[in-house]
Amino acid sequence: MRRFLLAAIAALATLAAAGAAAAADLNAGIEHRILRADSVRVARIREPVSGESGVAGDDRLDDFIVERPGSADPAWKAAMAELLARAMRRYPEPAVCRREPRPRQVLFGLQFFTGDLRTSFIVYLSDRCIEFWTARVFEGSTEMHDFSPRFLALLKQVFPSDTTVRHLDLSGTISCEDYHREHPEAAVVEQLPEATRRVPPAYPRAAKKAKIEGEVVLEAMVGADGAVGEVRVSKSVPELDAAAIASVLEWRFAPALDCRGQPVACRIVIPVQFTLSR
């Protein structure tokens, strides 16, 4: 058994090494292209929110909202291309970045132009990972690891008048102060409301008699005081909706908190289940 386990471990190690070598080989073409790029474009970007979309286009960067363009000169282009090439050689990954979307997360987009080809990089600074694409074809990713401080320093260089970028650290997160300066109308929810009192729904007599069961899904506005305000139905069971709403209006919450730890109003989704006892 021990011999079998050792053989299995060795085989897995061989496969991992082969995978890394294959990723490095695939990245060699990208490396060659960006090191000889004619020009580069850099922008601070973000994911679209509800109701937004990127511009119509055939490049991965078109899926994002450009918040602010940067200004890069040839020396910066060469320095960034060399750093990306080193990261791709040392930390090649064949999969999309393992990332955790966070409130106030800053993303950056880089685009290297080589003749008619565009190679785009999405920089997930807080996750220490960079994806690279040719048009809309995913080519691979690379971990930053100990290159992270250098990446951040280079990114700050091309946004000299952007206070938010100037204040960034390696967390890749906009400070509360900078976020509220840029978005004075928005309340960033860092912690969702937590129910402190749940009132079970009263089963409507007619629905019980008709043996109607189901789940009503409600959208409720929880105020900064933890009380439930407006409630609307997003998934209906007509015979049960009114009872679900009446129940949730009696719930109480520890309110949502913004990035300063202050209570704020927040809309949440609440499923209300109606099940007859068997």
Side-chain angles (χ1 to χ4, degrees), residues 140-205:
S141 64
T142 180
E143 300 287 344
M144 294 186 199
H145 292 291
D146 54 321
F147 292 138
S148 296
R150 181 60 178 150
F151 273 115
L152 179 59
L154 282 173
L155 290 167
K156 287 187 175 187
Q157 285 181 19
V158 290
F159 295 93
S161 61
D162 189 325
T163 302
T164 294
V165 175
R166 193 164 65 245
H167 289 168
L168 279 182
D169 58 22
L170 289 177
S171 72
T173 303
I174 304 177
S175 70
C176 289
E177 291 70 24
D178 285 333
Y179 189 89
H180 284 289
R181 176 178 49 77
E182 293 190 354
H183 308 278
E185 75 294 342
V188 181
V189 174
E190 293 277 329
Q191 181 175 311
L192 290 172
E194 184 176 344
T196 57
R197 185 179 77 180
R198 301 171 186 265
V199 177
Y203 217 119
R205 185 177 301 175

Short mmCIF file of all heavy atoms in Angstrom, two decimals, residues 140-205:
data_model
loop_
_atom_site.label_atom_id
_atom_site.label_comp_id
_atom_site.label_asym_id
_atom_site.label_seq_id
_atom_site.Cartn_x
_atom_site.Cartn_y
_atom_site.Cartn_z
N GLY A 140 -4.86 32.66 -20.18
CA GLY A 140 -4.28 32.14 -18.95
C GLY A 140 -4.26 33.22 -17.89
O GLY A 140 -4.85 34.29 -18.03
N SER A 141 -3.57 32.94 -16.79
CA SER A 141 -3.45 33.91 -15.71
C SER A 141 -2.11 33.71 -15.02
O SER A 141 -1.40 32.73 -15.27
CB SER A 141 -4.60 33.75 -14.71
OG SER A 141 -4.55 32.48 -14.08
N THR A 142 -1.77 34.66 -14.18
CA THR A 142 -0.54 34.56 -13.42
C THR A 142 -0.76 35.11 -12.02
O THR A 142 -1.51 36.08 -11.84
CB THR A 142 0.62 35.31 -14.11
OG1 THR A 142 1.81 35.16 -13.32
CG2 THR A 142 0.32 36.78 -14.28
N GLU A 143 -0.13 34.49 -11.06
CA GLU A 143 -0.16 35.01 -9.69
C GLU A 143 0.91 36.10 -9.55
O GLU A 143 1.95 36.05 -10.20
CB GLU A 143 0.11 33.89 -8.69
CG GLU A 143 -0.88 32.74 -8.74
CD GLU A 143 -2.23 33.11 -8.14
OE1 GLU A 143 -2.30 34.13 -7.42
OE2 GLU A 143 -3.21 32.38 -8.40
N MET A 144 0.65 37.08 -8.70
CA MET A 144 1.63 38.14 -8.48
C MET A 144 2.68 37.76 -7.45
O MET A 144 3.88 38.01 -7.63
CB MET A 144 0.93 39.42 -8.01
CG MET A 144 0.02 40.05 -9.02
SD MET A 144 -0.59 41.62 -8.36
CE MET A 144 -2.02 41.88 -9.41
N HIS A 145 2.23 37.22 -6.33
CA HIS A 145 3.12 36.87 -5.22
C HIS A 145 4.04 38.03 -4.86
O HIS A 145 3.57 39.13 -4.62
CB HIS A 145 3.89 35.59 -5.54
CG HIS A 145 3.01 34.38 -5.60
ND1 HIS A 145 2.40 33.84 -4.48
CD2 HIS A 145 2.59 33.62 -6.65
CE1 HIS A 145 1.67 32.80 -4.84
NE2 HIS A 145 1.76 32.65 -6.14
N ASP A 146 5.35 37.82 -4.86
CA ASP A 146 6.25 38.88 -4.39
C ASP A 146 6.40 40.03 -5.38
O ASP A 146 7.08 41.02 -5.08
CB ASP A 146 7.62 38.29 -4.05
CG ASP A 146 8.22 37.50 -5.20
OD1 ASP A 146 7.48 36.78 -5.89
OD2 ASP A 146 9.45 37.58 -5.39
N PHE A 147 5.78 39.93 -6.57
CA PHE A 147 5.80 41.06 -7.51
C PHE A 147 4.74 42.10 -7.20
O PHE A 147 4.71 43.17 -7.81
CB PHE A 147 5.58 40.56 -8.94
CG PHE A 147 6.71 39.73 -9.49
CD1 PHE A 147 6.44 38.58 -10.23
CD2 PHE A 147 8.03 40.09 -9.29
CE1 PHE A 147 7.47 37.81 -10.74
CE2 PHE A 147 9.07 39.33 -9.80
CZ PHE A 147 8.78 38.18 -10.53
N SER A 148 3.82 41.82 -6.26
CA SER A 148 2.68 42.71 -6.00
C SER A 148 3.09 44.16 -5.73
O SER A 148 2.50 45.08 -6.30
CB SER A 148 1.85 42.18 -4.84
OG SER A 148 1.27 40.94 -5.16
N PRO A 149 4.08 44.42 -4.85
CA PRO A 149 4.44 45.83 -4.60
C PRO A 149 4.90 46.56 -5.87
O PRO A 149 4.59 47.74 -6.06
CB PRO A 149 5.56 45.72 -3.57
CG PRO A 149 5.33 44.41 -2.89
CD PRO A 149 4.82 43.51 -3.97
N ARG A 150 5.61 45.85 -6.73
CA ARG A 150 6.09 46.48 -7.96
C ARG A 150 4.92 46.77 -8.90
O ARG A 150 4.88 47.83 -9.52
CB ARG A 150 7.12 45.57 -8.63
CG ARG A 150 7.72 46.12 -9.92
CD ARG A 150 8.43 47.43 -9.71
NE ARG A 150 9.04 47.91 -10.95
CZ ARG A 150 9.21 49.19 -11.23
NH1 ARG A 150 8.85 50.13 -10.38
NH2 ARG A 150 9.78 49.55 -12.37
N PHE A 151 3.98 45.85 -9.01
CA PHE A 151 2.80 46.11 -9.84
C PHE A 151 2.06 47.35 -9.33
O PHE A 151 1.67 48.22 -10.11
CB PHE A 151 1.85 44.91 -9.83
CG PHE A 151 2.16 43.86 -10.85
CD1 PHE A 151 2.57 42.60 -10.48
CD2 PHE A 151 2.03 44.14 -12.21
CE1 PHE A 151 2.86 41.63 -11.44
CE2 PHE A 151 2.31 43.18 -13.17
CZ PHE A 151 2.73 41.92 -12.78
N LEU A 152 1.85 47.42 -8.02
CA LEU A 152 1.12 48.56 -7.47
C LEU A 152 1.87 49.87 -7.73
O LEU A 152 1.26 50.88 -8.10
CB LEU A 152 0.91 48.36 -5.97
CG LEU A 152 0.17 49.48 -5.24
CD1 LEU A 152 -1.21 49.71 -5.84
CD2 LEU A 152 0.04 49.17 -3.75
N ALA A 153 3.18 49.86 -7.57
CA ALA A 153 3.96 51.07 -7.80
C ALA A 153 3.85 51.53 -9.24
O ALA A 153 3.69 52.73 -9.52
CB ALA A 153 5.43 50.81 -7.43
N LEU A 154 3.91 50.59 -10.18
CA LEU A 154 3.78 50.96 -11.59
C LEU A 154 2.38 51.50 -11.90
O LEU A 154 2.23 52.47 -12.65
CB LEU A 154 4.09 49.76 -12.48
CG LEU A 154 5.56 49.42 -12.68
CD1 LEU A 154 5.72 48.10 -13.43
CD2 LEU A 154 6.27 50.54 -13.44
N LEU A 155 1.35 50.89 -11.33
CA LEU A 155 0.00 51.36 -11.58
C LEU A 155 -0.21 52.76 -11.03
O LEU A 155 -0.88 53.60 -11.64
CB LEU A 155 -1.01 50.38 -10.98
CG LEU A 155 -1.10 49.03 -11.71
CD1 LEU A 155 -1.87 48.01 -10.87
CD2 LEU A 155 -1.76 49.20 -13.07
N LYS A 156 0.37 53.05 -9.89
CA LYS A 156 0.23 54.39 -9.32
C LYS A 156 0.89 55.45 -10.21
O LYS A 156 0.43 56.59 -10.27
CB LYS A 156 0.83 54.43 -7.92
CG LYS A 156 -0.01 53.72 -6.87
CD LYS A 156 0.55 53.94 -5.48
CE LYS A 156 -0.38 53.32 -4.43
NZ LYS A 156 0.05 53.65 -3.05
N GLN A 157 1.96 55.07 -10.92
CA GLN A 157 2.67 56.03 -11.76
C GLN A 157 1.79 56.62 -12.85
O GLN A 157 1.96 57.78 -13.23
CB GLN A 157 3.89 55.36 -12.39
CG GLN A 157 5.05 55.15 -11.46
CD GLN A 157 6.22 54.51 -12.18
OE1 GLN A 157 6.31 54.53 -13.42
NE2 GLN A 157 7.13 53.91 -11.41
N VAL A 158 0.87 55.79 -13.40
CA VAL A 158 0.10 56.26 -14.56
C VAL A 158 -1.22 56.92 -14.16
O VAL A 158 -2.02 57.29 -15.02
CB VAL A 158 -0.16 55.10 -15.55
CG1 VAL A 158 1.12 54.69 -16.22
CG2 VAL A 158 -0.82 53.92 -14.86
N PHE A 159 -1.46 57.08 -12.85
CA PHE A 159 -2.65 57.79 -12.37
C PHE A 159 -2.21 58.86 -11.36
O PHE A 159 -2.66 58.86 -10.22
CB PHE A 159 -3.62 56.82 -11.70
CG PHE A 159 -4.21 55.79 -12.62
CD1 PHE A 159 -3.60 54.55 -12.77
CD2 PHE A 159 -5.35 56.06 -13.37
CE1 PHE A 159 -4.14 53.60 -13.62
CE2 PHE A 159 -5.88 55.12 -14.23
CZ PHE A 159 -5.28 53.88 -14.36
N PRO A 160 -1.35 59.79 -11.78
CA PRO A 160 -0.77 60.74 -10.82
C PRO A 160 -1.80 61.67 -10.18
O PRO A 160 -1.59 62.15 -9.07
CB PRO A 160 0.24 61.52 -11.66
CG PRO A 160 -0.25 61.38 -13.06
CD PRO A 160 -0.85 60.02 -13.14
N SER A 161 -2.93 61.94 -10.87
CA SER A 161 -3.93 62.85 -10.31
C SER A 161 -5.12 62.13 -9.70
O SER A 161 -6.09 62.76 -9.28
CB SER A 161 -4.42 63.81 -11.41
OG SER A 161 -5.02 63.09 -12.47
N ASP A 162 -5.08 60.81 -9.65
CA ASP A 162 -6.18 60.02 -9.09
C ASP A 162 -5.89 59.77 -7.61
O ASP A 162 -5.08 58.92 -7.25
CB ASP A 162 -6.31 58.69 -9.85
CG ASP A 162 -7.56 57.91 -9.47
OD1 ASP A 162 -7.96 57.96 -8.30
OD2 ASP A 162 -8.13 57.23 -10.35
N THR A 163 -6.58 60.52 -6.76
CA THR A 163 -6.34 60.41 -5.32
C THR A 163 -6.61 59.00 -4.81
O THR A 163 -5.89 58.48 -3.96
CB THR A 163 -7.23 61.41 -4.57
OG1 THR A 163 -6.95 62.72 -5.04
CG2 THR A 163 -6.99 61.35 -3.07
N THR A 164 -7.67 58.38 -5.34
CA THR A 164 -8.03 57.03 -4.90
C THR A 164 -6.90 56.05 -5.17
O THR A 164 -6.54 55.25 -4.30
CB THR A 164 -9.32 56.57 -5.60
OG1 THR A 164 -10.40 57.39 -5.16
CG2 THR A 164 -9.64 55.12 -5.28
N VAL A 165 -6.34 56.08 -6.36
CA VAL A 165 -5.23 55.17 -6.69
C VAL A 165 -4.01 55.51 -5.86
O VAL A 165 -3.29 54.61 -5.39
CB VAL A 165 -4.92 55.22 -8.20
CG1 VAL A 165 -3.70 54.37 -8.52
CG2 VAL A 165 -6.11 54.74 -9.01
N ARG A 166 -3.77 56.78 -5.66
CA ARG A 166 -2.60 57.19 -4.87
C ARG A 166 -2.67 56.64 -3.44
O ARG A 166 -1.65 56.32 -2.82
CB ARG A 166 -2.50 58.71 -4.85
CG ARG A 166 -1.17 59.23 -4.33
CD ARG A 166 -0.93 60.69 -4.68
NE ARG A 166 -1.88 61.58 -4.04
CZ ARG A 166 -2.78 62.31 -4.70
NH1 ARG A 166 -2.85 62.24 -6.02
NH2 ARG A 166 -3.60 63.12 -4.06
N HIS A 167 -3.89 56.50 -2.90
CA HIS A 167 -4.07 56.00 -1.53
C HIS A 167 -4.11 54.48 -1.44
O HIS A 167 -4.15 53.94 -0.33
CB HIS A 167 -5.37 56.55 -0.93
CG HIS A 167 -5.32 58.01 -0.63
ND1 HIS A 167 -6.43 58.76 -0.32
CD2 HIS A 167 -4.26 58.89 -0.61
CE1 HIS A 167 -6.07 60.01 -0.11
NE2 HIS A 167 -4.77 60.12 -0.28
N LEU A 168 -4.12 53.78 -2.57
CA LEU A 168 -4.24 52.32 -2.53
C LEU A 168 -3.06 51.67 -1.84
O LEU A 168 -1.92 52.11 -1.98
CB LEU A 168 -4.34 51.75 -3.95
CG LEU A 168 -5.68 51.79 -4.67
CD1 LEU A 168 -5.53 51.13 -6.04
CD2 LEU A 168 -6.78 51.10 -3.88
N ASP A 169 -3.38 50.59 -1.11
CA ASP A 169 -2.32 49.71 -0.64
C ASP A 169 -2.53 48.35 -1.28
O ASP A 169 -3.35 48.20 -2.20
CB ASP A 169 -2.30 49.63 0.89
CG ASP A 169 -3.64 49.12 1.46
OD1 ASP A 169 -4.40 48.46 0.72
OD2 ASP A 169 -3.91 49.39 2.64
N LEU A 170 -1.81 47.34 -0.84
CA LEU A 170 -1.87 46.04 -1.49
C LEU A 170 -3.20 45.31 -1.29
O LEU A 170 -3.42 44.27 -1.91
CB LEU A 170 -0.71 45.15 -1.03
CG LEU A 170 0.66 45.58 -1.56
CD1 LEU A 170 1.75 44.69 -0.97
CD2 LEU A 170 0.70 45.53 -3.08
N SER A 171 -4.07 45.84 -0.42
CA SER A 171 -5.40 45.24 -0.30
C SER A 171 -6.22 45.47 -1.56
O SER A 171 -7.20 44.77 -1.81
CB SER A 171 -6.14 45.81 0.91
OG SER A 171 -6.53 47.16 0.67
N GLY A 172 -5.83 46.46 -2.37
CA GLY A 172 -6.56 46.75 -3.60
C GLY A 172 -7.96 47.25 -3.37
O GLY A 172 -8.82 47.13 -4.24
N THR A 173 -8.20 47.85 -2.22
CA THR A 173 -9.54 48.28 -1.84
C THR A 173 -9.57 49.79 -1.63
O THR A 173 -8.70 50.36 -0.98
CB THR A 173 -9.99 47.58 -0.53
OG1 THR A 173 -9.93 46.17 -0.72
CG2 THR A 173 -11.41 47.97 -0.16
N ILE A 174 -10.60 50.44 -2.18
CA ILE A 174 -10.76 51.89 -2.00
C ILE A 174 -11.10 52.16 -0.54
O ILE A 174 -11.95 51.49 0.05
CB ILE A 174 -11.88 52.43 -2.89
CG1 ILE A 174 -11.63 52.10 -4.36
CG2 ILE A 174 -12.02 53.94 -2.74
CD1 ILE A 174 -12.73 52.54 -5.30
N SER A 175 -10.46 53.14 0.05
CA SER A 175 -10.78 53.50 1.43
C SER A 175 -12.21 54.05 1.50
O SER A 175 -12.76 54.52 0.50
CB SER A 175 -9.80 54.55 1.94
OG SER A 175 -10.02 55.80 1.28
N CYS A 176 -12.80 53.98 2.69
CA CYS A 176 -14.15 54.52 2.87
C CYS A 176 -14.20 55.99 2.46
O CYS A 176 -15.14 56.43 1.80
CB CYS A 176 -14.58 54.39 4.33
SG CYS A 176 -14.92 52.71 4.85
N GLU A 177 -13.20 56.76 2.89
CA GLU A 177 -13.19 58.19 2.61
C GLU A 177 -13.15 58.46 1.12
O GLU A 177 -13.89 59.31 0.61
CB GLU A 177 -11.99 58.85 3.30
CG GLU A 177 -12.08 58.89 4.81
CD GLU A 177 -11.93 57.53 5.47
OE1 GLU A 177 -11.31 56.62 4.84
OE2 GLU A 177 -12.42 57.36 6.60
N ASP A 178 -12.28 57.72 0.40
CA ASP A 178 -12.18 57.94 -1.04
C ASP A 178 -13.46 57.49 -1.75
O ASP A 178 -13.91 58.13 -2.70
CB ASP A 178 -10.98 57.18 -1.61
CG ASP A 178 -9.66 57.88 -1.28
OD1 ASP A 178 -9.68 59.11 -1.09
OD2 ASP A 178 -8.63 57.20 -1.21
N TYR A 179 -14.04 56.37 -1.29
CA TYR A 179 -15.26 55.90 -1.95
C TYR A 179 -16.38 56.92 -1.77
O TYR A 179 -17.09 57.25 -2.73
CB TYR A 179 -15.69 54.55 -1.40
CG TYR A 179 -16.83 53.96 -2.22
CD1 TYR A 179 -16.55 53.15 -3.32
CD2 TYR A 179 -18.16 54.25 -1.94
CE1 TYR A 179 -17.58 52.64 -4.10
CE2 TYR A 179 -19.18 53.75 -2.72
CZ TYR A 179 -18.89 52.94 -3.79
OH TYR A 179 -19.92 52.47 -4.58
N HIS A 180 -16.56 57.44 -0.58
CA HIS A 180 -17.64 58.41 -0.36
C HIS A 180 -17.36 59.73 -1.06
O HIS A 180 -18.29 60.45 -1.43
CB HIS A 180 -17.87 58.61 1.14
CG HIS A 180 -18.61 57.49 1.77
ND1 HIS A 180 -19.95 57.25 1.54
CD2 HIS A 180 -18.21 56.50 2.60
CE1 HIS A 180 -20.35 56.19 2.21
NE2 HIS A 180 -19.31 55.70 2.85
N ARG A 181 -16.10 60.07 -1.25
CA ARG A 181 -15.77 61.26 -2.03
C ARG A 181 -16.18 61.07 -3.48
O ARG A 181 -16.72 61.99 -4.11
CB ARG A 181 -14.27 61.56 -1.92
CG ARG A 181 -13.80 62.74 -2.77
CD ARG A 181 -12.31 62.99 -2.58
NE ARG A 181 -11.51 61.78 -2.70
CZ ARG A 181 -11.19 61.20 -3.85
NH1 ARG A 181 -11.62 61.72 -4.99
NH2 ARG A 181 -10.45 60.11 -3.87
N GLU A 182 -15.95 59.89 -4.03
CA GLU A 182 -16.29 59.62 -5.43
C GLU A 182 -17.77 59.33 -5.62
O GLU A 182 -18.32 59.59 -6.68
CB GLU A 182 -15.47 58.43 -5.95
CG GLU A 182 -13.98 58.71 -6.05
CD GLU A 182 -13.26 57.61 -6.79
OE1 GLU A 182 -13.88 56.58 -7.13
OE2 GLU A 182 -12.05 57.77 -7.05
N HIS A 183 -18.40 58.73 -4.61
CA HIS A 183 -19.80 58.33 -4.72
C HIS A 183 -20.57 58.82 -3.50
O HIS A 183 -21.00 58.03 -2.66
CB HIS A 183 -19.92 56.80 -4.83
CG HIS A 183 -19.07 56.20 -5.90
ND1 HIS A 183 -19.45 56.16 -7.22
CD2 HIS A 183 -17.85 55.62 -5.84
CE1 HIS A 183 -18.50 55.58 -7.93
NE2 HIS A 183 -17.52 55.24 -7.12
N PRO A 184 -20.76 60.13 -3.39
CA PRO A 184 -21.40 60.67 -2.17
C PRO A 184 -22.82 60.19 -1.95
O PRO A 184 -23.32 60.20 -0.83
CB PRO A 184 -21.35 62.19 -2.39
CG PRO A 184 -21.20 62.36 -3.87
CD PRO A 184 -20.41 61.17 -4.34
N GLU A 185 -23.47 59.74 -3.03
CA GLU A 185 -24.86 59.30 -2.91
C GLU A 185 -24.98 57.83 -2.52
O GLU A 185 -26.07 57.35 -2.19
CB GLU A 185 -25.58 59.51 -4.25
CG GLU A 185 -25.24 58.51 -5.36
CD GLU A 185 -23.80 58.56 -5.87
OE1 GLU A 185 -23.12 59.59 -5.63
OE2 GLU A 185 -23.36 57.59 -6.51
N ALA A 186 -23.89 57.10 -2.52
CA ALA A 186 -23.95 55.65 -2.33
C ALA A 186 -23.58 55.28 -0.90
O ALA A 186 -22.72 55.90 -0.27
CB ALA A 186 -23.02 54.94 -3.30
N ALA A 187 -24.25 54.27 -0.40
CA ALA A 187 -23.90 53.68 0.90
C ALA A 187 -23.39 52.27 0.63
O ALA A 187 -24.15 51.41 0.19
CB ALA A 187 -25.10 53.65 1.82
N VAL A 188 -22.13 52.05 0.85
CA VAL A 188 -21.55 50.73 0.59
C VAL A 188 -21.83 49.83 1.79
O VAL A 188 -21.40 50.11 2.90
CB VAL A 188 -20.03 50.83 0.35
CG1 VAL A 188 -19.46 49.46 0.07
CG2 VAL A 188 -19.76 51.76 -0.80
N VAL A 189 -22.55 48.75 1.54
CA VAL A 189 -22.89 47.82 2.61
C VAL A 189 -21.75 46.83 2.80
O VAL A 189 -21.41 46.07 1.89
CB VAL A 189 -24.21 47.08 2.30
CG1 VAL A 189 -24.48 46.01 3.36
CG2 VAL A 189 -25.36 48.06 2.22
N GLU A 190 -21.13 46.87 3.96
CA GLU A 190 -20.07 45.95 4.29
C GLU A 190 -20.60 44.73 5.05
O GLU A 190 -20.04 43.65 4.98
CB GLU A 190 -19.00 46.64 5.14
CG GLU A 190 -18.24 47.73 4.42
CD GLU A 190 -17.10 47.19 3.57
OE1 GLU A 190 -16.53 46.16 3.94
OE2 GLU A 190 -16.80 47.81 2.55
N GLN A 191 -21.67 44.94 5.80
CA GLN A 191 -22.26 43.85 6.58
C GLN A 191 -23.77 43.89 6.41
O GLN A 191 -24.40 44.91 6.66
CB GLN A 191 -21.90 44.01 8.06
CG GLN A 191 -22.44 42.90 8.95
CD GLN A 191 -21.94 43.06 10.38
OE1 GLN A 191 -20.74 43.24 10.62
NE2 GLN A 191 -22.85 43.00 11.33
N LEU A 192 -24.34 42.79 5.94
CA LEU A 192 -25.78 42.72 5.69
C LEU A 192 -26.57 42.68 7.00
O LEU A 192 -26.03 42.30 8.05
CB LEU A 192 -26.10 41.48 4.86
CG LEU A 192 -25.63 41.51 3.41
CD1 LEU A 192 -25.85 40.15 2.75
CD2 LEU A 192 -26.37 42.60 2.63
N PRO A 193 -27.84 43.06 6.95
CA PRO A 193 -28.67 42.97 8.16
C PRO A 193 -28.77 41.52 8.64
O PRO A 193 -28.74 40.58 7.84
CB PRO A 193 -30.04 43.47 7.69
CG PRO A 193 -29.78 44.22 6.44
CD PRO A 193 -28.58 43.60 5.80
N GLU A 194 -28.91 41.37 9.95
CA GLU A 194 -29.06 40.04 10.54
C GLU A 194 -30.33 40.03 11.38
O GLU A 194 -30.52 40.88 12.25
CB GLU A 194 -27.85 39.71 11.41
CG GLU A 194 -27.88 38.31 11.99
CD GLU A 194 -26.63 37.97 12.77
OE1 GLU A 194 -25.62 38.68 12.61
OE2 GLU A 194 -26.67 37.00 13.54
N ALA A 195 -31.20 39.05 11.10
CA ALA A 195 -32.48 38.99 11.79
C ALA A 195 -32.29 38.71 13.28
O ALA A 195 -31.56 37.79 13.66
CB ALA A 195 -33.36 37.92 11.18
N THR A 196 -32.92 39.53 14.10
CA THR A 196 -32.89 39.31 15.56
C THR A 196 -34.24 38.80 16.07
O THR A 196 -34.32 38.27 17.17
CB THR A 196 -32.54 40.61 16.28
OG1 THR A 196 -33.49 41.63 15.92
CG2 THR A 196 -31.13 41.08 15.91
N ARG A 197 -35.28 39.00 15.28
CA ARG A 197 -36.59 38.45 15.63
C ARG A 197 -37.29 38.00 14.35
O ARG A 197 -37.47 38.79 13.43
CB ARG A 197 -37.46 39.49 16.35
CG ARG A 197 -38.79 38.89 16.83
CD ARG A 197 -39.65 39.91 17.56
NE ARG A 197 -40.31 40.82 16.64
CZ ARG A 197 -41.11 41.81 17.04
NH1 ARG A 197 -41.31 42.04 18.33
NH2 ARG A 197 -41.69 42.59 16.15
N ARG A 198 -37.64 36.76 14.30
CA ARG A 198 -38.37 36.20 13.15
C ARG A 198 -39.78 35.81 13.62
O ARG A 198 -39.92 35.11 14.62
CB ARG A 198 -37.66 34.97 12.59
CG ARG A 198 -36.24 35.22 12.12
CD ARG A 198 -35.54 33.90 11.78
NE ARG A 198 -34.15 34.08 11.46
CZ ARG A 198 -33.66 34.22 10.22
NH1 ARG A 198 -34.50 34.16 9.19
NH2 ARG A 198 -32.38 34.38 10.01
N VAL A 199 -40.77 36.24 12.89
CA VAL A 199 -42.16 35.92 13.22
C VAL A 199 -42.67 34.93 12.17
O VAL A 199 -42.72 35.26 10.98
CB VAL A 199 -43.04 37.18 13.23
CG1 VAL A 199 -44.50 36.82 13.50
CG2 VAL A 199 -42.51 38.18 14.25
N PRO A 200 -43.00 33.71 12.55
CA PRO A 200 -43.49 32.74 11.56
C PRO A 200 -44.81 33.20 10.97
O PRO A 200 -45.63 33.83 11.65
CB PRO A 200 -43.65 31.45 12.37
CG PRO A 200 -43.76 31.89 13.78
CD PRO A 200 -42.97 33.15 13.92
N PRO A 201 -45.03 32.88 9.70
CA PRO A 201 -46.28 33.32 9.07
C PRO A 201 -47.48 32.53 9.57
O PRO A 201 -47.35 31.34 9.91
CB PRO A 201 -46.03 33.03 7.58
CG PRO A 201 -45.06 31.90 7.58
CD PRO A 201 -44.17 32.13 8.78
N ALA A 202 -48.62 33.19 9.63
CA ALA A 202 -49.89 32.50 9.92
C ALA A 202 -50.39 31.86 8.63
O ALA A 202 -50.57 32.55 7.62
CB ALA A 202 -50.90 33.49 10.47
N TYR A 203 -50.59 30.55 8.68
CA TYR A 203 -51.01 29.84 7.46
C TYR A 203 -52.46 30.21 7.14
O TYR A 203 -53.35 30.01 7.97
CB TYR A 203 -50.92 28.32 7.69
CG TYR A 203 -50.44 27.54 6.48
CD1 TYR A 203 -49.27 26.79 6.54
CD2 TYR A 203 -51.16 27.57 5.29
CE1 TYR A 203 -48.83 26.07 5.44
CE2 TYR A 203 -50.72 26.86 4.19
CZ TYR A 203 -49.55 26.11 4.26
OH TYR A 203 -49.11 25.41 3.17
N PRO A 204 -52.75 30.80 5.98
CA PRO A 204 -54.13 31.15 5.65
C PRO A 204 -55.04 29.92 5.66
O PRO A 204 -54.67 28.86 5.12
CB PRO A 204 -54.02 31.74 4.23
CG PRO A 204 -52.60 32.18 4.12
CD PRO A 204 -51.81 31.21 4.94
N ARG A 205 -56.21 30.05 6.29
CA ARG A 205 -57.10 28.91 6.44
C ARG A 205 -57.50 28.33 5.09
O ARG A 205 -57.49 27.10 4.90
CB ARG A 205 -58.35 29.34 7.22
CG ARG A 205 -59.29 28.18 7.54
CD ARG A 205 -60.47 28.66 8.38
NE ARG A 205 -60.00 29.24 9.62
CZ ARG A 205 -60.81 29.83 10.51
NH1 ARG A 205 -62.11 29.94 10.26
NH2 ARG A 205 -60.31 30.32 11.63
#
